[in-house]
Amino acid sequence: MIFIDIQEVISTLGEDWKKEAQLITKKLKEAKNEAERKTLIAEHEGVWRQLKAKLSAFAHHKCWYCETFSYRSDNSVDHFRPKSRVYEDKGHPGYWWLAFSPANYRFACTFCNSRRHDVGGTSGGKHDHFPLVDGSPRAVDPYTPLSVENPLLLDPCWKSDVAAFWFDETGEVSVNPPFKEMDDHAEEKVDASRHFYHLDQVSLVEARRRVYLRVLSLCDQADDSFISWQKTKDHSAKMAFREAMNAIARMRDRTAEHSAVAHCAIRGYRHSSISASLSYDSAA
């Protein structure tokens, strides 16, 4: 997961789109009952689908939740807070007033957005789930501020949430230790996000493991080339070091798949590897 500035996304939307979304939201608020609201939402699904390409581009065509490209199949516009119902609260009408709010949109792959059972034995997918920390109030209408809620799902549109994840050489998701000091529910939030975004899908874990180990291998190559260059002053060793450093930089670039994993690998290896230390310091 990498940080996406949703306000920057919103600033790029055309005025015509914003006016249409505002008009439909006004009609939703004026609707006489839930059935009328659901009909309005269903009739205007194309409105948020118009933003699919734009949302995709902001994360370099990666899922905002898992950082994968197309192999996790059909990507879609996810409503972070479900628009029609909330699985955890059977009496809740869904966050219908956010159905046409771009601040509620996230770009998601099928495995993160839809309930799926994977051949590896895992299951997950966000669907209509939006769990809160036990005891947290839940907004039930447009007049209740969303700030009363304490969601269990970590959100790519909050920098502090993105920092909650940590990855190691296994490819598994865990809690970044500093996040535990920031949030009393850190473990619970990472566990819920792991499940509902299906971040433990076997092929996804393996992809992250390969990225992590590839970064370590590149660091080792860079270190060996650096030592050789220092000893022999051989130009080819110098070039090998520089090329390996560039390869490391490309793997942690925001455009790369699982760049957050590459960052964790570099951070974790920086005390043992001069190239990891240089890479980490140069990006700080």
Side-chain angles (χ1 to χ4, degrees):
M1 184 182 286
I2 57 174
F3 173 61
I4 304 294
D5 188 342
I6 196 65
Q7 294 306 316
E8 185 180 354
V9 176
I10 293 171
S11 71
T12 67
L13 303 182
E15 289 304 314
D16 288 344
W17 187 94
K18 291 178 181 178
K19 288 178 181 177
E20 182 178 11
Q22 289 167 0
L23 178 60
I24 302 169
T25 300
K26 182 175 182 292
K27 290 180 179 179
L28 284 171
K29 291 178 179 179
E30 295 171 346
K32 297 176 182 178
N33 51 51
E34 184 177 354
E36 192 173 318
R37 287 198 300 267
K38 287 187 175 181
T39 298
L40 277 167
I41 291 173
E43 289 176 346
H44 295 89
E45 289 181 352
V47 173
W48 64 74
R49 288 176 179 163
Q50 292 175 36
L51 302 185
K52 180 177 177 179
K54 189 177 290 291
L55 297 179
S56 171
F58 263 86
H60 310 286
H61 311 292
K62 297 185 291 185
C63 170
W64 290 14
Y65 298 124
C66 70
E67 266 204 284
T68 58
F69 291 125
S70 60
Y71 77 84
R72 296 254 292 180
S73 67
D74 295 335
N75 294 322
S76 60
V77 177
D78 171 50
H79 288 73
F80 184 62
R81 285 175 167 83
K83 61 186 179 298
S84 299
R85 72 183 186 115
V86 177
Y87 185 89
E88 288 75 19
D89 186 345
K90 302 303 182 186
H92 196 279
Y95 298 84
W96 53 265
W97 62 96
L98 301 177
F100 299 92
S101 169
N104 193 42
Y105 297 159
R106 310 289 182 266
F107 184 69
C109 70
T110 300
F111 273 84
C112 287
N113 191 38
S114 305
R115 296 299 293 174
R116 295 286 297 272
H117 294 279
D118 186 49
V119 292
T122 63
S123 63
K126 185 168 167 288
H127 193 46
D128 292 326
H129 290 272
F130 195 71
L132 303 178
V133 168
D134 189 35
S136 169
R138 187 183 293 277
V140 296
D141 56 44
Y143 314 105
T144 308
L146 298 176
S147 58
V148 304
E149 298 185 335
N150 190 359
L152 279 177
L153 295 182
L154 295 166
D155 183 358
C157 296
W158 289 103
K159 182 69 172 178
S160 56
D161 281 12
V162 172
F165 288 115
W166 185 255
F167 304 96
D168 61 19
E169 66 277 4
T170 68
E172 298 286 353
V173 180
S174 59
V175 183
N176 191 3
F179 187 66
K180 292 182 181 181
E181 300 175 10
M182 294 170 48
D183 195 315
D184 293 339
H185 301 279
E187 293 274 4
E188 192 179 0
K189 289 182 177 183
V190 169
D191 285 346
S193 299
R194 179 193 296 112
H195 172 68
F196 289 112
Y197 297 148
H198 208 165
L199 299 181
D200 57 353
Q201 184 208 4
V202 174
S203 62
L204 176 59
V205 172
E206 175 59 22
R208 291 196 302 253
R209 188 186 71 86
R210 288 196 300 268
V211 167
Y212 196 103
L213 296 180
R214 176 60 178 160
V215 170
L216 298 192
S217 177
L218 286 168
C219 288
D220 288 342
Q221 291 176 36
D223 289 347
D224 290 344
S225 298
F226 180 78
I227 293 170
S228 177
W229 172 32
Q230 292 298 296
K231 287 182 178 180
T232 66
K233 304 303 179 184
D234 180 58
H235 181 70
S236 62
K238 176 183 177 181
M239 290 305 299
F241 167 71
R242 296 177 70 179
E243 287 171 1
M245 289 295 290
N246 280 0
I248 295 168
R250 284 191 289 271
M251 292 196 73
R252 73 173 305 179
D253 189 85
R254 284 177 60 87
T255 63
E257 195 169 46
H258 309 306
S259 59
V261 178
H263 170 77
C264 288
I266 292 165
R267 180 180 168 187
Y269 206 38
R270 71 189 189 281
H271 298 302
S272 305
S273 162
I274 186 170
S275 58
S277 178
L278 286 170
S279 178
Y280 184 79
D281 290 344
S282 66

